[in-house]
Amino acid sequence: MDILLIGGLWLQGSVWGRVASALEAAGHRPVPLTLPGQGDGAVSATLDDQLAAVLAAVDAAPGRPMVVGHSAAATLAWLAADRRPERPAKVALVGGFPSADGQPYADFFEVRDGVMPFPGWGPFEGPDAADLDDEARRQLAAGAIPAPADVVKGVVRLTDERRFDVPVLVVCPEFTPAQAQEWIEAGDVPELARAEHVDFADIDSGHWPMITRPTELARILAAAAAAASDTA
């Protein structure tokens, strides 16, 4: 199965390198995406540009792919399900939840000079970054690509209720499946509250398991893809 891998803010496709290798060894075809404005130098990129890149990858897949969105890109993965509800075999959300219709995509930190730079490690102290050693932090921060303002401030538009029929896997790194279920049931994640098929997978990591637990993350994604193939 094609497994599309979409990194969160400040990340380009190369962050999935070790996950992709493990998925390939498991018999899948990983497709790490470098989004407009996150590795191609397009500082004027918009949320629509990023979504178009994801949809192009969905459309290019020979079968029904699994779409994986990390952190803020959970919303991009869910937007793909909204725009192409008949195409994804499954959507996997790693350390993130989809924004609702009408909300900004990822307006989390200060925008300066048209971009949202990586804010440093202060906002991520605690469970998010607890498993990152000094070298991993240095490399991640050094490679962080400022996110274009028209991406992070872009307004999410969801229109096709068939998205709720697409199976979802929530991969829980810095939080537990029990916490994720509690947030969904409390109405904090309205999109997943309406989804018909939601499963959960725990992974003992911080917010960036593709860096600190790539083999385990690949195992979880491979198992989800295999299950999706069995039911497709």
Side-chain angles (χ1 to χ4, degrees), residues 78-89:
W78 193 237
L79 281 164
D82 179 75
R83 301 299 196 273
R84 301 284 193 276
E86 74 288 348
R87 290 286 289 138

Side-chain angles (χ1 to χ4, degrees), residues 1 3 28 66 89-90 92 169 218-230:
M1 175 181 286
I3 301 178
H28 297 285
M66 183 166 76
K90 182 172 287 187
L169 174 68
R219 179 186 58 77
I220 290 169
L221 296 178
S229 296
D230 291 342

Side-chain angles (χ1 to χ4, degrees), residues 76-174:
L76 272 176
W78 193 237
L79 281 164
D82 179 75
R83 301 299 196 273
R84 301 284 193 276
E86 74 288 348
R87 290 286 289 138
K90 182 172 287 187
V91 167
L93 312 176
V94 181
F97 300 95
S99 298
D101 180 63
Q103 292 183 340
Y105 173 65
D107 193 11
F108 303 140
F109 303 105
E110 181 184 2
V111 170
R112 301 195 303 267
D113 299 323
V115 295
M116 179 187 287
F118 179 68
W121 291 107
F124 303 108
E125 289 303 336
D128 283 355
D131 61 341
L132 290 170
D133 61 23
D134 290 344
E135 179 59 18
R137 290 185 182 214
R138 187 195 66 76
Q139 290 186 6
L140 199 155
I145 298 167
D150 287 339
V151 171
V152 298
K153 291 182 176 292
V155 177
V156 173
R157 296 300 181 195
L158 297 162
T159 60
D160 195 328
E161 295 207 348
R162 290 179 296 167
R163 68 186 181 275
F164 297 122
D165 294 327
V166 178
V168 178
L169 174 68
V170 179
V171 181
C172 306
E174 72 270 26

